[in-house]
Amino acid sequence: MPLRSKITGTGAHLPDQVVTNDDLAKKVDTSDEWIVERTGIRERRIVREGETTSALAFQAAENALEAAGLTGQDIDLVVVATTTPDNTFPSTATKVQAMLGMDHGAAFDVQAVCSGFVYALSVADNFIRAGQTKRALVIGAEVFSKILDWEDRTTCVLFGDGAGAVVLEAQEVEEGEQTGILSTHLHSDGKLRDLLYVDGGPGTNGQVGHVRMLGREVFRHAVTNLASVVGEALEANGLTQDDIDWLVPHQANKRILDGTARKLGLPAERVVVTVDRHANTSAASVPLALDEAVRDGRIKAGDLVLMEAMGGGLTWGAALVRW
Ligand code: ACO
C-alpha cells in the first residue's frame, strides 16, 4: 500500500521580546501608521542576546513532539528550514538533533529563505513516501533580526524572529485515498536573485551581510507566483478553491495575503493571519500560523489545508494537506 505523511503534531516558539512599530519609529524614520497601512504589521518578536535559531527550533520541536505524543527518540529525520543558521556549519538540524537527545537518524538544513518550510516539508514528505523515513520533524526557524540592516527602514520594519515545527508520520493508505500531505509543488527562478538577497556570506565578503530587497518587484512576483502555484496544487488533486477550508500562507505582508485570497476567490475568514503580531519570520511563518490555527481549533480533522510561500531566490511553493 502507498505511504503518505500525516501531520500528527504542531508546535511553535517565539522569543519573549515584543518590538512594536512605535519602538522602531524611535530608531528609523517610520511610523506605526505607515507600517500598518503598507504591511498590516503591528509588532514582531526579536531574540535577546545569545538566543539562537537552534534554541527556538528546539523549543518548537519539543512542543510539536508533545502534541504528537512522541519524544526525540521516535524521530528518524530532522529537517530544519533556515536562512539564519547558528553557524555556517554544522547544520542547525544536527544541533537540534543533539538537543533532542537523538542518537540515530539523519538531520540536515534546507535553505529556500521564506519558502524554506514548504521546501523542507516537501523533502521530508518524499523521504516518507519513498519508505526511507517513518517519523520526521520539519522545523522552520529564523533569527532574521541578525541579518537586518537596522538603519534601512525599507526592510527592518518587515521581519521578526520565531520557530514552528510539525511532526510527520508515515501512514499506509489505500490507492487513491486523499489523506495527509496530498502533494507538494516547488519552483524557483534564480534569474530573479537580485530582487531579494543578502549582501554577505563566505563566498563574498566573509561577513554575515544584510537583507537587500526591491520591495515593489517582490510584491508583484509574490501575488502572481503564489496564485499560480496554488492553482497547480489544486489541479494536481482534482480540487478547486471552493474545497479549501484553510489557507495558511507565508506571512510577508497583509496586502500580499489579501491579494492572493482575492485572486483565489477565498473569503478572508478562511485565511490564517499572524503577520500583524509576528511580521515576516521567513521559514518560520507558515508553521507558526499553522500551529496557531490547529491549537485554537480552527483546523480540524478532515479539513483541506493549503500552505504556500515565496521568498528569496526567488523560490516559491505550495503544499496541500487533508488534515
Ligand atoms: N516607513 C516610512 N516610509 C517608508 C518606509 C518605512 N518603513 N519604507 C519605505 N518608505 C517610503 C519609501 O522611501 C518611499 O518614499 P518615496 O516615495 O519618498 O521614495 C515610499 O515609502 C513608498 O515606498 P515603496 O517601496 O514604493 O512602498 P510600497 O507601497 O511598495 O511598500 C513594501 C513597501 C511594504 C516593502 C512592499 O513593497 C512590500 O511589502 N513588498 C513585498 C516585500 C516582502 O514582503 N518581502 C519579504 C520577503 S519575500 C516574501 O516574503 C514574499
Side-chain angles (χ1 to χ4, degrees):
M1 292 211 291
L3 287 163
R4 291 291 176 269
S5 313
K6 188 94 185 153
I7 298 179
T8 57
T10 65
H13 184 72
L14 290 160
D16 66 0
Q17 181 173 222
V18 177
V19 175
T20 65
N21 293 344
D22 286 335
D23 292 333
L24 291 180
K26 290 177 194 142
K27 292 184 180 172
V28 288
D29 182 15
T30 190
S31 65
D32 178 57
E33 192 190 359
W34 191 94
I35 300 171
V36 171
E37 188 191 309
R38 303 290 178 119
T39 71
I41 298 165
R42 293 181 183 278
E43 59 184 43
R44 72 285 292 140
R45 302 295 184 97
I46 300 290
V47 288
R48 294 179 191 280
E49 198 56 39
E51 239 178 324
T52 57
T53 294
S54 62
L56 300 180
F58 169 66
Q59 289 297 335
E62 286 268 90
N63 293 338
L65 285 168
E66 193 187 349
L70 300 172
T71 71
Q73 285 297 358
D74 299 313
I75 299 295
D76 48 13
L77 178 70
V78 181
V79 188
V80 174
T82 189
T83 306
T84 48
D86 294 8
N87 301 102
T88 303
F89 82 83
S91 68
T92 301
T94 52
K95 291 184 86 170
V96 173
Q97 181 190 29
M99 291 160 100
L100 289 169
M102 288 170 59
D103 48 18
H104 66 283
F108 57 87
D109 288 357
V110 162
Q111 171 27 325
V113 204
C114 299
S115 313
F117 180 77
V118 174
Y119 267 65
L121 194 70
S122 178
V123 170
D125 177 46
N126 280 300
F127 268 68
I128 285 179
R129 283 172 183 253
Q132 200 172 342
T133 292
K134 283 197 171 61
R135 295 194 186 104
L137 250 175
V138 181
I139 306 167
E142 301 277 17
V143 290
F144 236 69
S145 59
K146 302 281 186 195
I147 55 168
L148 294 175
D149 175 351
W150 286 100
E151 289 176 4
D152 175 11
R153 68 177 183 173
T154 69
T155 51
C156 77
V157 303
L158 302 175
F159 297 92
D161 302 333
V166 299
V167 173
L168 301 186
E169 294 192 58
Q171 201 176 57
E172 285 190 340
V173 299
E174 298 294 335
E175 197 64 59
E177 188 182 331
Q178 285 203 333
T179 187
I181 298 181
L182 304 185
S183 62
T184 58
H185 305 264
L186 306 181
H187 294 276
S188 63
D189 184 352
K191 293 191 296 300
L192 299 173
R193 176 257 182 211
D194 290 348
L195 300 187
L196 180 56
Y197 65 98
V198 164
D199 60 1
T204 52
N205 55 9
Q207 306 292 311
V208 171
H210 295 121
V211 174
R212 304 295 173 208
M213 181 175 73
L214 295 174
R216 281 212 168 170
E217 283 294 300
V218 173
F219 192 104
R220 197 169 59 78
H221 284 283
V223 176
T224 312
N225 290 342
L226 292 172
S228 152
V229 76
V230 163
E232 179 186 324
L234 290 169
E235 199 181 317
N237 293 281
L239 298 165
T240 72
Q241 45 263 57
D242 294 338
D243 296 310
I244 301 172
D245 292 298
W246 295 105
L247 178 65
V248 185
H250 168 51
Q251 311 281 321
N253 180 319
K254 183 72 166 59
R255 288 191 295 146
I256 297 180
L257 304 193
D258 291 344
T260 311
R262 215 175 307 119
K263 270 203 164 191
L264 289 168
L266 265 188
E269 310 83 73
R270 283 198 268 151
V271 182
V272 180
V273 179
T274 55
V275 69
D276 52 330
R277 289 157 289 130
H278 300 168
N280 181 347
T281 56
S282 182
S285 93
V286 170
L288 274 168
L290 185 69
D291 182 64
E292 186 167 294
V294 169
R295 285 180 190 260
D296 68 19
R298 272 179 286 174
I299 295 178
K300 291 184 281 301
D303 282 354
L304 188 70
V305 178
L306 182 62
M307 303 176 221
E308 43 88 327
M310 196 194 87
L314 294 181
T315 56
W316 64 101
L320 200 53
V321 181
R322 179 66 70 185
W323 207 262

